[in-house]
Structure formats: structure tokens, C-alpha cells
Amino acid sequence: MGTGKNISSFSSLEVMNFLNEISSNFPKAVSFASGRPSERFFESSTWFDAISRFTAYFADKNNISVTRANSLLAQYGKTNGIISDLISKHLLADESIKCQPDQIIVTVGCQEAIELSVKSLCQDKNDVVIVRTPTYIGITGVCELNGIELASFKAEQNNTLDGLRASVDALERCGKTPRVLYLIPEFDNPTGDVLSEQERIEIIKFCASKGITILEDNPYGMYRFEGIANAPMFALDEYGCVIYLGTFSKTICPSLRVGFAVLPKKWFGCELQAKKFYNELSQRKSFITVNTSQISQGIVGGILLREECSLTNLVAPAVDFYKVNRDTMLECLENEFAGHKEKISWNTPSGGFFLSVYLPFKFKAEEALICAKDYGVLVMPLSFFALDDSDDRNVRLAFSYAEIGEIRQGIRQFSEFVLNHMQAMEHENDLSSTCEP
Amino acid sequence: MGTGKNISSFSSLEVMNFLNEISSNFPKAVSFASGRPSERFFESSTWFDAISRFTAYFADKNNISVTRANSLLAQYGKTNGIISDLISKHLLADESIKCQPDQIIVTVGCQEAIELSVKSLCQDKNDVVIVRTPTYIGITGVCELNGIELASFKAEQNNTLDGLRASVDALERCGKTPRVLYLIPEFDNPTGDVLSEQERIEIIKFCASKGITILEDNPYGMYRFEGIANAPMFALDEYGCVIYLGTFSKTICPSLRVGFAVLPKKWFGCELQAKKFYNELSQRKSFITVNTSQISQGIVGGILLREECSLTNLVAPAVDFYKVNRDTMLECLENEFAGHKEKISWNTPSGGFFLSVYLPFKFKAEEALICAKDYGVLVMPLSFFALDDSDDRNVRLAFSYAEIGEIRQGIRQFSEFVLNHMQAMEHENDLSSTCEP
């Protein structure tokens, strides 16, 4: 467990660079490295209709002509955005989240929402952001770049709360203030893991008692392949300690750059504090991006209107596609690693974009580079996302972007590397055991 | 002169709030408050063509099909943007700026470029940003929200360097590091003033000798009504100390949210340092907005392609419109304040969106509120943009947004307030001089 110190050997910035470099240096390699959504489901041909639809809605709502609405939509706009009413309906329909439009701030992708929230919450030098390790580099990067202290704990199966409690205790003992807990409870990036509803409730109760705000990031929630969706922590929160972060990068497409944050109605029980906090986010936003592109908001708004504010039907083909991809990857892993299952294992996420593979040897930047260079497959060491060394033998495989044929080919190539590496290790062991001095 | 301390009575956040509040509380008032571009020249109907044009160009440039280009443009994209080649041609054609695409980073409006630059340049607690007072709240807001110290000096006509030098000296004496000088040299916001070429050269030379990076913000440079354009400081810089900040919010439209920063080829003479700095901006951007919307970049790119990378023809009707607006406003001021010219004066900016009026009494938030409430006209006290009290009697009037009839009406209403206020003051003076105890 890391307490108040980032002991990751790789910084978020280095991870970004590494990913960009291997992607551009090995363009022909099969990539399981980047968690991009598949491009099959982008419907850019429908955007123009979407903007027109939203413009008509905006004109009607504000009792102005369509011409005037067109002008206003091309102008500077409200810092907090103009589609919060539609987003609140979408959240109710698709995530069982009840909120009012004035609890929502529309941001330039979810990343801006993370930046605004963390900067607003952690203003004292003693304030600390807590994460599970491994975690998404979008949160560690914001902390690193803003000099905000990060603490991490290793979440074992079904006892996340124990790890969190120990981390908070340790921080408090050295005079630090645990201020934020960042989580992707549904299909975590990088692990693909899910927090059970019971765990969510316990964590919320604990955080509420400690004055810790939970940032619940939910980019993958709509991509469940089987089983029943867990309620988002925001929906389970009775204390007003959860901020919900969402994005349309996965459901519609990334180039829109539209995300959002939803604040509790009463932040730790106080409506006035919630309003103040909302205004602080809004003011910070006005000095970073002024407002989120109204063209992008118009596209999102138009699609939400067309879909009657539920994106379930829209994402259904993508859910099917990702499920088949996951199944194919699991099947390939089964086949390629048959006979090595006592040494190599992986999880079976019930949704999302990622799974992780456990290997019997350290897999870090050097090994990832060999995979790219000699085996034509791009994968990410889980240690890149880790704040301690507990994940040195794990690899993240994204199954969202590749096509089925590529998955078969890529897993074959990856397994060749793994099995060759294991053989070389055994050979080395043999040599060292036979060549005694 | 303020040294190392923001002594403004109004913070940038309060200014934003004030502007938003009077605009929404007095929607029928004539507004000279906001420096928005006129909506007459937005051509949203041409955007779809622009995206198609850019997509074809992008496909051709990358040797891929248009279908593939469409997919890639809807996907996550390069942090630094995909239209730098077109922007560099535009800068050469319209601003005589020579730069390579790899010196340009495309940002979510110019505001993100300010944030990224200032955050990257000022990482030590002793680092200070210097501004002329009054100045644009986009720079003061970034400093306030990030705890970066601001110093200001009052620039008198043609001796900006003296003020700057005194400010730098004072900072150095108290162990501070002057790190950034922020300037809008061509048609300043809020004053409308222009720095002469001679002054620009002197300031560059001085900053180069002190290791101070100049942030040259140029949103209004293409809006010159008469006289000869001054070379941008970036084009005059032989030392590599100027970062140029640009935007398409005024030339195309604000809702695109596309701006950019251009870095010197050799930052203070060193190409390696320039590259490192470029990478730092890029990394910071990746943890705030990931990348600038490729839809917006596609629209800008398509328009640049259509216009063969010079926006001169495109903005010509807007330049004419703003010139007529400025002339109308000047004429109205002449007429309304005839007979009071020894007490009331104003500048005659040769371009841009703003002029400023000097009054014989203090004009602050209270007076602005009376103007809005009782006289139906929204104006901005220059003190809102000031870091000392030297501008308490000045008012900023934006002539960019209102139509001619509104300008005549608004200036009449503004002058009524001013003349009534002066009369009341005289009456008070009379009373106080006749009612001696």
C-alpha cells in the first residue's frame, strides 16, 4: 500500500509517451494497447441531422426562431453547457440516476471533469487523492501535473473497504487529509473488475463518515455483456458524497469531446455547499475551456433527442460486438495457453473494454517493446497503471478496438512471446542448476 | 505599480459573475459589455461542406480512403491537433509569421493555450506573471486559480518598457522570478490600445535578456480598420522568447472552441529546450482535454482549405461592419458629450472590438448596475480589468456585438447616465459650498 507517495516507477506522462511511441513505431502490429472504442459504430453521417434536430429543440425551448438558435449555437455559450436537461433524462433512463439539470456541468470530455473536480477538491497541500492500484492514468496524470499527493491501496477481491480504511488511517496518522477517492466501479480500467453493490454501499458509508468525496468514473457502464448491472454509486449514495463522471466518447464517439460531472444535490448533506462547489467547478472551467463546443453539444443533444434520451438501443450492436471480441479473446487465451493454466491466468470481465492476464514472469516496458518489435502485438504492462510493484506480472489486453481476425492473430503472437519467454527462463534455470562451479 | 501581488479589488471570477448576472438580469438592455463577435458573419450552413473538404484533404494527405478518414476523424486524435500545417500557412499569409507545423499546438480555444503555457512556465512558487494593467481576465483568472503570483504595471503612452523594467526590478529585489509577460499588443482587451513596432522590439530585447517568455495574445489582429498592421511580436523576435497565441473564435466563430499556441523554433536560442517545452504543453493538454475536437478542427481546416489559408477575404465584411460600428460609436460620443470634452475623453482605436471612455467620476460596479437598471445599457468598468486603482474612472465599451441602431440608442442612454451623474455631483458640490455650517 502506498501512503501519500507516488511510488510508481512509471509516471502517467511516460505511459502516454510509451503508448504513443509504440503505436506510431509499429503501425502494423495488432493493438490490444489502446482502449479505443471500435470505429464501426460511429455514425458521423447522422451528425448533421442531429444538429438540426437539436437546433429546432433549442429554438422551441427558448422560444426563438431557428435562425436565431443557429446564431446562438455558433456563439460563446453557457459555461455549464446547454444539454444538461437531456443528460439528466439519459442518466435516469440508462443508469437509474436521479438528478436535476442544475447538478450537471458539461465538460470537454470526462478528463476535464476529472481535472476540475480534483483541482477544486484538493486545494490544501495536505489534501490527498486515494486510488486503487492499478488505476486509470487520467487521475494519476492530473495529480502529478498539479502537485497533488496520491495514495494507493491494493484492492483484494471483496475487501476493497479494508484496503481503503488502512490507507485512510495511514494518511491520517501522518497529518494528511484524504479528500478524494477515485474509482471506476463498473468494468475498471485497467483491470476490467467490478465492485459489488454491497462493497459500493460500504465504501460510500465509510467515505461519508470521513468527509471523502468519491469520484465515480463510469465510461464503460453501458457495455455489460451478461448479468445484472450494479447501481452506480451515485444512485446508492444517501450522504451526498459521490460525484458522477460520464462521457459520450464511448457511446457516441470520442472526437465529440463531450463529458460531464454530476454533483450531489446536497454535498455531505448541505445544498448550499453543493451550489458553491458547482460554481467553483464552473468558474474553473471558464478559465480553462470557457465552454464546451456547442457544435459537439448539439450533436450529442440531437442524438439524445432522436433516441428519446436512452442510448441502450444505440449501443446494442456495439455491446454485441465487444462481447464477441471478449469471447474470442478468452477462447484464444484458452487455446494458446492450454497446458500452462497453473502458471498463466486471466479474469473474465462481464463487460467493458479490458481484461488482464497474469504471467509467471515480470512483464514491463522492456517486454512490451519486445512484443511490439519481434511479435507484432501491442499490449500494456499493468505496472504502467500501478502505484506499487504488485502488478509487475500482469498485462492489460484491450478487446474493444481489434477485429476478430486480429484478436486471433494477436493472441497467437502474444502467446508465442510468453511461451518463448517461459522456455528461455526454464532453459536458464536448467543451465544454472547443471553448471555448478 | 503592483509588484508580486494582485491588488485588484475585483477578482476575475467576480468579473465573470458580474457580467453573467447583468446580462441575464437585464436581457433587454443594449449591451456594450461583452466583446462577442457579431453573429452576422457566422456561416454555420457552410460547416458541413467544410468538414467534407477537410476529410478529403486528410484522406489524401494520409493516403487513406475517405471512409477511413471519416472514422479516424471521429476517433481520439493527436493531442497536438491535426490542422497545424494549415494554421502555419494561415499565419504566414495573414500575420507574416513563419513557423513549422511542429511548433503549433491546437487547443480548446485560446484560453486553454493560456492555461497550458502559464502552468508550464510557472512551476516554482517564486515565478511571477507580469501584465499591463488593465488586462484581459483570461490571464488573471488562470493565475488566481492556480495560485500563481501576478505583478502589474501601468503602461503610459510609448513607455511600456519603462513600466516593465521597473516591475521586473522590483520583483528581482524581493527574490521573485519574473517568468512571463502577457500582452495583447494589437488592439488590447480592454483598452483597444496598440503597441508600436519600436516598443515591441524593445520589449522583446529586454525580455530576452531577462529570460522572460512573452505570451503574445492576438485575437483581434485581423480587425484593423485603417493604417498599417504592426508585425506580431513573434515575427519580430530574434531571441526565441515569444509564444504566439491565436484563436478562430473571432474569425470563424466562438462555438468551435479552436485556438492554438505557436512556440519559438529555438526557445531562448535552444531547439532542444523548445522541443521539451512543446512536449510539456502537449502532456499537460492530454490530462485536461485529451485532444481538441476533430469535428471542430475539421470545420476550421475545411474553411482554411477553401480560403487557400488566408482569412483576409472571409473577415473583410466583418472588418467593415466593426469599422462602421466604431465610427458610429465615436460619432455618438462626439454628439452626446459635445460641450463636455474637457471632462470626458475616449480613445480612437484603429481596430479591434473595444474603446475606453474616461469620465470625471468613479465608475465601478455600482455605477454599472445603475446603467443597466435605470438606463438600459450594459458597460464594463475598466477597473474590473485593473490590478490597481488607476482606471477607476474608465469604462470599456465593446462595439463588436451591437447593431448600429443599438449603438445610437445605447450611447444616448449611457450619456444620459453620465450627464445626470455629473449634474448631481455639481449639485452636491453647490450644496456643500453654500451650506457651510
Side-chain angles (χ1 to χ4, degrees), chain B residues 19-172:
Chain B
L19 181 58
N20 290 338
E21 265 174 43
I22 59 167
S23 301
S24 66
N25 290 342
F26 306 102
K28 298 221 162 142
V30 175
S31 178
F32 304 137
S34 152
R36 296 180 159 207
S38 169
E39 286 141 15
R40 294 173 162 247
F41 308 102
F42 299 162
E43 292 182 313
S44 44
S45 61
T46 71
W47 291 347
F48 305 151
D49 281 348
I51 292 187
S52 301
R53 188 183 302 265
F54 180 76
T55 306
Y57 168 82
F58 185 78
D60 192 50
K61 190 182 162 193
N62 293 290
N63 201 20
I64 53 178
S65 70
V66 168
T67 311
R68 181 84 194 116
N70 257 319
S71 288
L72 284 181
L73 291 174
Q75 191 52 274
Y76 289 103
K78 288 187 179 171
T79 309
N80 307 328
I82 51 173
I83 55 170
S84 297
D85 54 337
L86 301 173
I87 293 175
S88 75
K89 286 179 187 162
H90 153 58
L91 288 173
L92 185 63
D94 292 329
E95 301 287 355
S96 308
I97 283 178
K98 285 177 195 155
C99 65
Q100 298 300 313
D102 65 2
Q103 290 169 258
I104 299 174
I105 178 164
V106 184
T107 52
V108 179
C110 180
Q111 188 62 38
E112 191 193 27
I114 296 176
E115 156 92 12
L116 296 174
S117 304
V118 169
K119 288 286 296 290
S120 298
L121 288 163
C122 299
Q123 298 194 34
D124 186 274
K125 65 177 174 40
N126 282 320
D127 291 339
V128 181
V129 172
I130 306 179
V131 297
R132 294 186 293 183
T133 179
T135 193
Y136 174 51
I137 58 166
I139 181 72
T140 47
V142 165
C143 293
E144 282 169 28
L145 284 171
N146 289 294
I148 295 167
E149 210 164 306
L150 261 173
S152 68
F153 64 93
K154 184 75 190 169
E156 307 298 338
Q157 197 62 36
N158 294 323
N159 68 352
T160 303
L161 182 58
D162 291 346
L164 172 62
R165 194 190 299 274
S167 181
V168 168
D169 285 352
L171 288 167
E172 287 179 344

Side-chain angles (χ1 to χ4, degrees), chain A residues 39 68 119 146 250, chain B residues 39 68 76 119 146 250:
Chain A
E39 285 141 16
R68 181 83 194 117
K119 289 287 297 287
N146 290 292
K250 273 72 183 179
Chain B
E39 286 141 15
R68 181 84 194 116
Y76 289 103
K119 288 286 296 290
N146 289 294
K250 273 70 182 180

Side-chain angles (χ1 to χ4, degrees), chain A residues 106-339:
Chain A
V106 184
T107 52
V108 179
C110 179
Q111 188 61 37
E112 192 193 25
I114 296 176
E115 154 92 13
L116 295 174
S117 304
V118 169
K119 289 287 297 287
S120 299
L121 288 163
C122 299
Q123 297 192 37
D124 186 274
K125 67 177 172 41
N126 282 319
D127 291 340
V128 180
V129 172
I130 304 178
V131 296
R132 294 186 293 183
T133 180
T135 193
Y136 174 51
I137 58 166
I139 182 71
T140 47
V142 164
C143 293
E144 282 169 28
L145 284 172
N146 290 292
I148 294 166
E149 211 164 305
L150 262 172
S152 68
F153 64 93
K154 185 74 191 169
E156 307 299 336
Q157 198 60 38
N158 294 324
N159 69 351
T160 303
L161 182 59
D162 291 346
L164 172 62
R165 195 191 300 273
S167 181
V168 168
D169 284 352
L171 288 168
E172 287 179 343
R173 274 198 302 277
C174 43
K176 303 285 181 184
T177 315
R179 185 70 72 191
V180 172
L181 171 65
Y182 173 87
L183 286 173
I184 305 179
E186 198 83 342
F187 316 126
D188 192 19
N189 177 5
T191 61
D193 289 342
V194 168
L195 268 180
S196 72
E197 199 162 303
Q198 188 53 38
E199 283 187 288
R200 295 178 194 214
I201 292 169
E202 286 169 7
I203 292 168
I204 290 166
K205 201 170 167 186
F206 176 75
C207 286
S209 77
K210 290 288 184 180
I212 297 171
T213 299
I214 299 168
L215 293 184
E216 177 184 31
D217 195 356
N218 190 22
Y220 311 108
M222 295 202 70
Y223 295 96
R224 174 171 280 279
F225 311 141
E226 59 243 341
I228 295 163
N230 294 292
M233 296 178 83
F234 189 93
L236 297 168
D237 175 24
E238 297 171 12
Y239 307 92
C241 66
V242 179
I243 294 176
Y244 182 91
L245 307 175
T247 179
F248 295 100
S249 290
K250 273 72 183 179
T251 48
I252 303 178
C253 80
S255 75
L256 293 166
R257 313 304 310 122
V258 179
F260 56 90
V262 189
L263 269 57
K265 185 89 187 159
K266 297 180 178 183
W267 192 31
F268 292 102
C270 179
E271 193 159 349
L272 189 68
Q273 285 302 321
K275 281 265 167 255
K276 274 181 71 175
F277 185 59
Y278 185 85
N279 288 337
E280 164 131 23
L281 291 184
S282 169
Q283 288 182 325
R284 286 187 178 271
K285 178 171 169 63
S286 71
F287 289 110
I288 296 180
T289 58
V290 184
N291 60 257
T292 305
S293 164
Q294 297 193 139
I295 301 166
S296 292
Q297 289 188 75
I299 294 171
V300 172
I303 291 171
L304 286 172
L305 286 166
R306 188 189 71 203
E307 302 290 320
E308 293 176 348
C309 291
S310 168
L311 296 180
T312 307
N313 290 337
L314 185 75
V315 303
V319 174
D320 289 345
F321 175 82
Y322 295 138
K323 181 180 186 306
V324 171
N325 274 8
R326 180 208 56 172
D327 291 343
T328 306
M329 190 175 270
L330 289 171
E331 180 200 314
C332 293
L333 290 168
E334 282 287 346
N335 292 341
E336 301 293 342
F337 293 130

